[in-house]
Amino acid sequence: MVKLANPLYTEWILEAIQKVKKQKQRPSEERICHAVCASHGLDKKTVSEQLELSVQDGSILKVTNKGLASYKDPDNPGRFSAVKPGTIPKSVKGSRGACNELRNVDWNKLLRRAIEGLQEPNGSSLKNIEKYLRSQNDLANIFNNPAFQQRLRLGAKRAVNNGRLLKDGPQYRVNYGSLESKGAAKYSSTFPASLPPVSLLPHEKDQV
């Protein structure tokens, strides 16, 4: 059985990568381990192991340049360094290729489509969401990808973190309140609720 990375640890590692990049530093294994250990108290050995598993299943990209390895978020890769042919192991090449094919997938839309399609009153489990998506013929190129299951789990966690979905135990529901508030905020910023009174010019007063 293939061992997969823990989605929670993968999320922590992705957060650490962004944190290191904001400090204008290269997201190396040592810096990522230090950031995760400092933020979540995870030991360095576990972080290293989860980092490698995340690379293998395509959740994180590993780029080697001049013998130095850097790690990137597939959904926000930034600038890629030049990678010499033959410097990446075949297992990583395969997972990276599979991951790149899913890079432009809008997981928020897929998750919402599945939850609304299932119409379960108490929410839908990730297992049922996956089954529903696999039953959709137009998504065959997505769910046949070997990295589909892992990216779906990661997408669901991110959707909960950014407020798109609500999670109650193992059940997921669409957060319609979040969608409506975003639309209302956009509308109100464009069209103010109250406008200042308009004063007439002298010649306009005469006309009235």
Side-chain angles (χ1 to χ4, degrees):
M1 182 177 178
V2 179
K3 188 176 180 181
L4 296 175
N6 185 313
L8 177 61
Y9 293 164
T10 300
E11 186 70 21
W12 289 354
I13 291 171
L14 288 169
E15 290 172 359
I17 290 173
Q18 296 305 318
K19 183 177 180 180
V20 173
K21 287 177 69 177
K22 285 181 180 178
Q23 296 172 348
K24 306 297 182 183
Q25 295 180 328
R26 180 177 60 84
S28 64
E29 180 178 348
E30 183 179 355
R31 291 192 178 106
I32 292 170
C33 288
H34 182 269
V36 175
C37 292
S39 301
H40 303 285
L42 211 59
D43 62 279
K44 185 177 179 180
K45 182 180 178 182
T46 302
V47 179
S48 297
E49 181 186 23
Q50 292 296 318
L51 178 60
E52 184 59 32
L53 289 172
S54 298
V55 169
Q56 290 177 10
D57 64 29
S59 302
I60 292 174
L61 299 182
K62 182 178 181 180
V63 180
T64 305
N65 184 33
K66 297 180 181 179
L68 299 174
S70 298
Y71 298 85
K72 297 177 181 288
D73 182 347
D75 294 332
N76 185 24
R79 293 184 303 170
F80 280 102
S81 302
V83 182
K84 295 180 180 179
T87 58
I88 303 177
K90 290 183 178 179
S91 60
V92 178
K93 282 182 179 179
S95 61
R96 178 176 168 182
C99 181
N100 283 341
E101 292 173 9
L102 299 179
R103 213 167 87 190
N104 296 323
V105 174
D106 189 335
W107 295 102
N108 290 323
K109 285 186 178 179
L110 286 186
L111 288 162
R112 182 177 177 182
R113 170 178 169 178
I115 294 170
E116 291 180 340
L118 289 166
Q119 296 182 340
E120 296 176 300
N122 297 322
S124 304
S125 67
L126 201 57
K127 186 175 182 181
N128 286 348
I129 291 172
E130 182 183 344
K131 283 183 179 179
Y132 179 89
L133 293 176
R134 288 186 183 277
S135 71
Q136 306 299 299
N137 294 330
D138 61 316
L139 302 178
N141 62 323
I142 295 176
F143 63 68
N144 285 330
N145 190 295
F148 166 71
Q149 188 179 51
Q150 175 69 12
R151 296 307 302 276
L152 178 65
R153 290 162 64 191
L154 191 59
K157 177 159 183 66
R158 286 181 172 176
V160 172
N161 289 342
N162 62 33
R164 299 290 184 89
L165 295 183
L166 298 173
K167 187 180 181 186
D168 183 12
Q171 310 298 109
Y172 293 85
R173 290 182 292 113
V174 177
N175 185 6
Y176 293 105
S178 172
L179 298 174
E180 289 173 2
S181 63
K182 285 180 181 179
K186 185 177 179 181
Y187 182 86
S188 61
S189 63
T190 308
F191 302 99
S194 60
L195 294 173
V198 178
S199 57
L200 296 175
L201 296 173
H203 71 278
E204 291 176 328
K205 289 181 180 179
D206 296 336
Q207 291 176 1
V208 173

